[in-house]
Amino acid sequence: MKKHIKFFSGGLFDSPLMNSRVKTASMTWAEKLLGYLFGPFGILAFVAVVNQLAELYYTEIFYIDNIFGSGSYLLMTWVTKAIGILSGILIAYVVEHTESKAGRVRPLILIGCLLSAVSGFFMFYIPEMPDVAKLVWIYIFNILYNGLGAQLLALRTHMFTLCTRSQDDRNLVNLFEKMSSFLLVGTAVTLTVGSVLYYTMLHGHPASNWIGLIGAFAALSVPLSFIQYYYTKERVTAEGEAAKKSEEASISVGEQIKALFTSKYWLMATALTVTMTIANNLAGYNLNTNFCTIILGATADNSINLLYTIASGVPMGLGILIVYPLCKKFTIRKTTIAFSVVAILGCLVGFLSATNFVGAIAGNFIYNMGTLPVVYILGALINAANDEVEYNKGFRPEGTVSMAIIMCVVNLVTGIFAGVYETGLNMNGYDPLADMAQPVGVVNWLYFIKYAVPAIEYVIIILILIFMNLESKLLDMQKAIRARCKAAAEARGEVWISPEELEEREREENARLAEEARISDLKARCAKRGLDFETENQKYLDKKAKKANKK
């Protein structure tokens, strides 16, 4: 008989120490805020800083291409991406065979956070040793960070569908996570590091400054990663787990692959993911800095880069106030389509403004306004496509096949387009010391990457979303899935309780405990002050009834 492999079963993540602090059947505000807004901030900030500074560090401090030859950094990038593809398949296999009280993905996310913090720090801290040993050192920690840690952190996207079946709650936590990623990290941290700290304490300064900054962000990420872990819960994983195990065991890998590629919404979601990945990787981490310097004339003596970044980031703050209500009223799909038209208009305004600073800011402001649904909440719709697979095919795709396919595609795309932006600059004769005096090819390349690529991206997004009417069908899918869970539980002789009923029971129990505590406190107060308990209690009940009648 073939032995069933179980990862984490009976280990640390099954111990009371690692139990989630979330005990309720429905999502609480503590869970939403700590698990998806504040908790992720630490690791997201660290990753943003590492990604922003790594290339600069290896070209300004470590001089990897000078020591080991031109193209050494690009080769290392490709190697780590290739290893990332293999690790993605391995991680997906582990997820599918994980059985623990902590869930399937939460243990791996925590491991990914800690691994990324350690390996990311040692990407910058390079001890004194022979050059070959240094090269081995940076390869090891770049592989651990980009090839393994990044793949583990990518599992975080699955929490948006595994935390609950309520689509409203899924949309909200997706919004909170994006607020943490794009507003708190993308605007505040990236602005501070790229536009202030880079010029005041990094550029032209010793390696110790870089290492100290990275170390500070790594240290911050660790406690926040534990907060993220303890204030999340995989309700969907736990719901009907026994039934899911029996269903998944009967589905072969070939059947799972066929199921995925015959699920139209899953294919659309994958197409959206690949499209956005290509566009993001084509942009490069230093696009805005180069655009401000070469096109707009930013220097260390003026504030063009800082003003451009601040003005461009304003829509990210506005997005918190407008995106979620609009998506709740009009659906994510319709809101994203409308805003995507605005994004394309912003690209056109920016392109026509050429070197005009005010026009460039206006174009980027309009473009960023148009990106708000994609930035903040489209991911919730993309992840909801997993429900379609569960509804039609009887298994959730947060397992080996779907995760392996998505990770392979994403890593292949990233590997192919990694360094394309920088390569395009160099092929067109880019001179880092020439500022605005660059060849025409460099200027045209910047315009293409800055405006044409995102315009094409949003045209594709519109075309896909026109046909992706998943939201109108989700409620019926959820009802059917729960009906199957109930039938499977009854077939096993178990009593199945719906999440709504569990929530109501929890509410009643909490109300009972609160009433017992009130009565106990009132009796103690009456005894201390010589008051009649029945009289004082009736006063409270009358006041409560009067307040209820006003509603």
Side-chain angles (χ1 to χ4, degrees):
M1 182 177 178
K2 187 176 180 180
K3 185 178 180 181
H4 180 54
I5 300 174
K6 297 180 181 179
F7 294 103
F8 302 114
S9 179
L12 175 64
F13 287 98
D14 268 347
S15 67
L17 176 67
M18 303 306 291
N19 285 348
S20 172
R21 300 303 184 258
V22 179
K23 306 298 182 184
T24 58
S26 59
M27 296 195 76
T28 64
W29 278 104
E31 178 183 0
K32 294 172 185 176
L33 293 173
L34 295 177
Y36 295 90
L37 179 60
F38 299 114
F41 172 77
I43 192 62
L44 291 174
F46 177 73
V47 169
V49 173
V50 169
N51 291 345
Q52 188 177 16
L53 297 181
E55 181 183 337
L56 296 170
Y57 185 79
Y58 287 122
T59 55
E60 294 185 15
I61 300 297
F62 185 63
Y63 299 112
I64 182 172
D65 283 2
N66 291 351
I67 298 174
F68 301 103
S70 178
S72 296
Y73 180 76
L74 184 59
L75 176 61
M76 182 174 68
T77 301
W78 285 345
V79 169
T80 56
K81 295 300 180 183
I83 293 176
I85 293 173
L86 298 177
S87 67
I89 297 173
L90 175 62
I91 290 169
Y93 178 82
V94 172
V95 169
E96 189 173 74
H97 293 84
T98 290
E99 292 183 12
S100 75
K101 294 178 181 178
R104 287 187 172 187
V105 300
R106 289 176 61 246
L108 291 169
I109 293 171
L110 179 61
I111 292 171
C113 290
L114 302 179
L115 177 63
S116 296
V118 173
S119 58
F121 173 76
F122 285 110
M123 283 169 57
F124 290 78
Y125 178 79
I126 306 172
E128 282 300 324
M129 60 180 98
D131 287 343
V132 174
K134 288 182 179 179
L135 185 64
V136 172
W137 176 280
I138 64 173
Y139 257 86
I140 289 173
F141 288 106
N142 270 272
I143 288 171
L144 289 175
Y145 177 82
N146 290 304
L148 185 57
Q151 308 309 314
L152 290 169
L153 293 181
L155 296 174
R156 294 178 59 254
T157 60
H158 294 306
M159 282 303 301
F160 302 139
T161 49
L162 295 178
C163 63
T164 179
R165 288 197 182 276
S166 167
Q167 193 58 36
D168 285 341
D169 282 343
R170 287 177 176 180
N171 293 347
L172 188 58
V173 297
N174 187 84
L175 174 65
F176 281 165
E177 195 273 344
K178 293 300 186 291
M179 283 170 56
S180 184
S181 176
F182 288 94
L183 182 62
L184 299 180
V185 173
T187 301
V189 174
T190 302
L191 174 64
T192 301
V193 173
S195 299
V196 180
L197 297 183
Y198 175 71
Y199 292 105
T200 58
M201 65 173 287
L202 298 178
H203 184 58
H205 291 270
S208 58
N209 287 25
W210 300 67
I211 295 169
L213 181 65
I214 293 296
F217 275 97
L220 172 68
S221 74
V222 173
L224 289 177
S225 295
F226 276 100
I227 290 175
Q228 175 187 218
Y229 171 81
Y230 281 121
Y231 284 91
T232 50
K233 181 179 180 180
E234 293 181 42
R235 293 175 179 82
V236 174
T237 301
E239 183 183 308
E241 191 171 32
K244 285 198 295 180
K245 287 177 190 174
S246 61
E247 288 174 359
E248 288 173 358
S250 63
I251 301 176
S252 68
V253 173
E255 289 172 331
Q256 288 187 13
I257 293 175
K258 182 180 178 180
L260 291 175
F261 281 97
T262 54
S263 299
K264 67 175 184 178
Y265 294 124
W266 185 87
L267 290 173
M268 291 179 186
T270 303
L272 285 171
T273 301
V274 172
T275 298
M276 292 185 290
T277 302
I278 291 173
N280 289 338
N281 283 288
L282 273 174
Y285 291 114
N286 300 311
L287 173 61
N288 278 345
T289 300
N290 290 335
F291 183 83
C292 287
T293 302
I294 297 170
I295 305 299
L296 302 179
T299 67
D301 299 324
N302 60 41
S303 302
I304 288 178
N305 193 5
L306 180 61
L307 292 173
Y308 185 83
T309 305
I310 293 174
S312 301
V314 169
M316 297 299 103
L318 298 175
I320 302 172
L321 303 175
I322 64 176
V323 169
Y324 182 70
L326 287 175
C327 289
K328 194 169 183 179
K329 182 175 182 179
F330 298 107
T331 73
I332 297 174
R333 170 176 164 262
K334 292 179 181 178
T335 304
T336 304
I337 289 174
F339 272 70
S340 294
V341 175
V342 176
I344 295 170
L345 177 62
C347 292
L348 181 61
V349 171
F351 176 74
L352 295 177
S353 299
T355 60
N356 182 276
F357 180 61
V358 175
I361 285 184
N364 211 35
F365 181 90
I366 296 170
Y367 168 73
N368 283 340
M369 285 294 294
T371 67
L372 290 176
V374 170
V375 168
Y376 281 124
I377 207 165
L378 181 61
L381 179 59
I382 291 174
N383 292 324
N386 291 335
D387 290 355
E388 178 214 10
V389 179
E390 183 182 14
Y391 170 72
N392 287 328
K393 312 301 179 180
F395 73 98
R396 289 201 66 84
E398 290 96 349
T400 296
V401 177
S402 66
M403 284 176 54
I405 290 173
I406 292 174
M407 287 185 177
C408 282
V409 171
V410 170
N411 279 283
L412 281 171
V413 169
T414 303
I416 292 171
F417 290 94
V420 168
Y421 167 69
E422 289 79 8
T423 301
L425 288 177
N426 293 329
M427 288 178 63
N428 284 288
Y430 171 68
D431 181 357
L433 302 177
D435 293 333
M436 294 186 72
Q438 300 288 344
V440 175
V442 171
V443 174
N444 291 338
W445 178 248
L446 284 173
Y447 277 125
F448 174 75
I449 297 295
K450 181 68 176 176
Y451 297 124
V453 169
I456 295 170
E457 173 192 9
Y458 278 86
V459 168
I460 296 173
I461 288 173
I462 291 173
L463 293 175
I464 294 173
L465 288 178
I466 287 173
F467 301 98
M468 195 172 178
N469 59 335
L470 172 62
E471 287 166 283
S472 62
K473 302 178 181 180
L474 275 177
L475 186 59
D476 289 338
M477 289 181 180
Q478 297 284 4
K479 289 179 180 178
I481 291 169
R482 284 183 173 173
R484 287 207 301 258
C485 290
K486 181 179 180 180
E490 291 174 348
R492 297 191 302 271
E494 301 172 0
V495 177
W496 189 83
I497 304 174
S498 70
E500 290 81 7
E501 187 176 346
L502 279 174
E503 182 180 356
E504 182 59 31
R505 289 186 182 184
E506 288 171 356
R507 189 180 295 110
E508 292 175 354
E509 178 65 11
N510 290 335
R512 183 187 67 79
L513 293 174
E515 179 66 8
E516 287 182 356
R518 183 192 70 80
I519 291 174
S520 177
D521 291 342
L522 181 59
K523 285 181 177 180
R525 184 164 62 88
C526 289
K528 184 177 181 180
R529 298 183 180 182
L531 301 173
D532 179 65
F533 168 77
E534 295 298 335
T535 302
E536 296 302 316
N537 188 48
Q538 191 59 48
K539 287 180 182 179
Y540 169 83
L541 295 176
D542 291 342
K543 184 178 179 180
K544 182 179 179 181
K546 184 178 180 181
K547 186 177 180 181
N549 290 332
K550 288 181 179 180
K551 292 183 179 180

